[in-house]
Amino acid sequence: MSGFSMELSEEIREVRDWVHEFARDVIRPAGAEWDEREETPWPILQEAAKIGLYSLDFFAQQWFEESGLGIPVAFEEIFWGDAGIGLSIVGTGLAAVSVTANGTPEQVGEWIPQMFGTPDDVKLGAFCASEPDAGSDVGAIRTRAVFDEAAGEWVINGVKTWATNGGIANVHIVVASVDPDLGTRGQASFIIPPGTRGLSQGQKFKKHGIRASHTAEVVLDNVRVPGSCLLGGKEKLDERLARAREGRRSGQQAAMRTFEASRPSVAAMAVGIARAAYEYARDYAVERHQFGRPIGENQAIAFLLADMATKVDVARLLTWRAAWMARNARPFAQAEGSMSKLVAGETAVWVTEQAIQVLGGAGYTRDHPVERWHRDAKIYTIFEGTSEIQRLIIGRAVTGLTVR
């Protein structure tokens, strides 16, 4: 019986070093430019595709890696480079996770490749759940899907918002209500194939941070998709709806499974941002001299750096635990996925703010990347479940009560 070890496998270390090299040489040098442009960095995506970083093969290999740490380790390195460009590279993953978690093997095989495309023809995927009046309250989703029996098609109408790659993706995954009376239990997810009539991009948002990542509304106006585009299939949906109508447990809703599965990955993104800011502040404190000595010799700065380093490690360890549990089918009995997302997101905000403080006035300017990293970090306490929602989930898990 082997002993306990937290040593990364040689394979994961090789992936980490390979991704770090790309982040150092390609992503980070381009971060400021694409933040200013507020556009999808297609040339960077193409470079990532050419080396296999943006690809179905990389997604599959790391997602199903035995320890569960492949994706978190890789994501930390990508987002160490830059969060906006990083989200453009990994944003398709949320749509791919939705199909993997909820779809049939045939759907996985048909649609995930179309989300990535090829190095010569890069494509994107988009996961569309949030709405203008349904962000944290997923049960308030108004987008409606109605089955047209005669045509064997689903007809979908509604407006989605805050969609990463929304409107520019090749394949959209849309969460819609099929039985509004059942709330979240009456929802399902649908594949919207490329070129489907009735789907269009609405407002593109100008954001505080992660500005190299495209975020927009998606409008669905009498969108018709074949019955085969219902994730999981109609038979499975009908069985789940029947159980819900009878008051029996109907299983976790598809959007919730997607968010829960992705939380450790999102936490890893935040860890990458926090680590980048800590390392930059640490190096600055060693090199910057005031009163004839490095500012890192001042206890106030040294203690701050000590807290920054400690919090980054805490966030990483929580993230690795949640990722390992998810990969090994261990239930999040204490909401460990939410714990990782909560701590990592709030750590990223705190560490990037302290990095600005260490640099002083220089940190407040765009001459140094810490101000951009601080802007990027804030979203990790908001999207994929706000910090408040994560605390609600954790509170329910640890008390067994219906915390409201």
Side-chain angles (χ1 to χ4, degrees), residues 102 104 145-147 154 176-179 182-190 227 229-245 250 252-254 257:
N102 305 298
T104 65
V146 177
F147 191 59
W154 289 92
S177 175
V178 296
D179 188 337
L182 295 176
T184 58
R185 295 179 299 169
Q187 295 172 2
S189 294
F190 296 86
C229 286
L230 167 65
L231 276 182
K234 194 168 187 301
E235 182 178 347
K236 185 176 179 181
L237 172 65
D238 288 342
E239 290 174 358
R240 179 162 60 84
L241 294 177
R243 289 196 300 271
R245 289 171 185 139
S250 57
Q252 192 178 35
Q253 195 274 333
R257 279 198 298 273

Side-chain angles (χ1 to χ4, degrees), residues 35-36 38 84 162 205-213 215 349 352 356 364 366 370-382:
D35 176 71
E36 291 285 348
E38 298 191 51
W162 314 123
F205 296 102
K206 297 180 71 67
K207 305 187 298 294
H208 178 64
I210 55 168
R211 301 199 300 190
S213 173
T215 309
V349 172
T352 53
I356 294 175
Y364 199 66
R366 295 191 180 182
V370 290
E371 67 82 26
R372 182 174 78 252
W373 295 338
H374 184 51
R375 288 188 284 109
D376 291 341
K378 184 56 189 171
I379 193 62
Y380 289 88
T381 65
I382 300 172

Side-chain angles (χ1 to χ4, degrees), residues 88-104:
S88 286
I89 293 173
V90 309
T92 293
L94 189 59
V97 167
S98 179
V99 176
T100 302
N102 305 298
T104 65

Side-chain angles (χ1 to χ4, degrees), residues 30-42 44-45 79 82-94 124-127 162-166 168 201 203-217 269 372 375-376 379-380 383-384:
E33 174 189 351
W34 291 98
D35 176 71
E36 291 285 348
R37 293 176 64 164
E38 298 191 51
E39 297 173 358
T40 299
W42 290 104
I44 310 297
L45 281 169
F79 283 73
D82 180 75
I85 294 175
L87 202 56
S88 286
I89 293 173
V90 309
T92 293
L94 189 59
L124 300 172
F127 181 72
W162 314 123
T164 298
N165 300 332
I168 65 171
Q201 179 185 308
Q203 176 187 3
K204 179 187 175 183
F205 296 102
K206 297 180 71 67
K207 305 187 298 294
H208 178 64
I210 55 168
R211 301 199 300 190
S213 173
H214 176 97
T215 309
E217 290 180 329
M269 301 176 195
R372 182 174 78 252
R375 288 188 284 109
D376 291 341
I379 193 62
Y380 289 88
F383 76 170
E384 303 279 333

Side-chain angles (χ1 to χ4, degrees), residues 55-289:
S55 69
L56 171 59
D57 286 345
F58 181 79
F59 168 79
Q61 288 169 6
Q62 301 312 312
W63 186 260
F64 295 107
E65 186 276 326
E66 186 176 1
S67 72
L69 300 184
I71 288 288
V73 168
F75 278 20
E76 179 180 332
E77 298 304 328
I78 292 170
F79 283 73
W80 174 92
D82 180 75
I85 294 175
L87 202 56
S88 286
I89 293 173
V90 309
T92 293
L94 189 59
V97 167
S98 179
V99 176
T100 302
N102 305 298
T104 65
E106 293 76 18
Q107 289 171 329
V108 171
E110 179 177 2
W111 295 108
I112 292 185
Q114 295 188 50
M115 296 180 184
F116 290 93
T118 67
D120 295 326
D121 187 18
V122 172
K123 302 295 185 183
L124 300 172
F127 181 72
C128 309
S130 294
E131 297 183 2
D133 295 319
S136 297
D137 183 7
V138 179
I141 284 176
R142 294 182 180 177
T143 295
R144 187 76 197 277
V146 177
F147 191 59
D148 182 342
E149 294 276 359
E153 296 177 330
W154 289 92
V155 184
I156 308 172
N157 285 279
V159 177
K160 294 297 180 178
T161 194
W162 314 123
T164 298
N165 300 332
I168 65 171
N170 195 46
V171 178
H172 292 74
I173 305 299
V174 172
V175 180
S177 175
V178 296
D179 188 337
D181 293 338
L182 295 176
T184 58
R185 295 179 299 169
Q187 295 172 2
S189 294
F190 296 86
I191 302 160
I192 313 298
T196 299
R197 293 179 59 183
L199 184 146
S200 62
Q201 179 185 308
Q203 176 187 3
K204 179 187 175 183
F205 296 102
K206 297 180 71 67
K207 305 187 298 294
H208 178 64
I210 55 168
R211 301 199 300 190
S213 173
H214 176 97
T215 309
E217 290 180 329
V218 174
V219 180
L220 302 114
D221 183 10
N222 284 324
V223 167
R224 285 182 168 268
V225 297
S228 60
C229 286
L230 167 65
L231 276 182
K234 194 168 187 301
E235 182 178 347
K236 185 176 179 181
L237 172 65
D238 288 342
E239 290 174 358
R240 179 162 60 84
L241 294 177
R243 289 196 300 271
R245 289 171 185 139
E246 293 169 4
R248 294 183 287 146
R249 291 181 63 86
S250 57
Q252 192 178 35
Q253 195 274 333
M256 291 298 97
R257 279 198 298 273
T258 301
F259 288 134
E260 191 68 9
S262 69
R263 278 181 184 136
S265 302
V266 176
M269 301 176 195
V271 172
I273 300 169
R275 185 185 119 215
Y278 155 68
E279 291 178 355
Y280 198 92
R282 177 201 62 200
D283 294 347
Y284 185 89
V286 171
E287 297 166 3
R288 171 70 167 166
H289 283 65

Side-chain angles (χ1 to χ4, degrees), residues 277-278 281-283 285-286 296 300-310 358:
Y278 155 68
R282 177 201 62 200
D283 294 347
V286 171
I301 299 296
F303 279 17
L304 185 55
L305 292 169
D307 286 344
M308 293 163 75
T310 301
V358 171

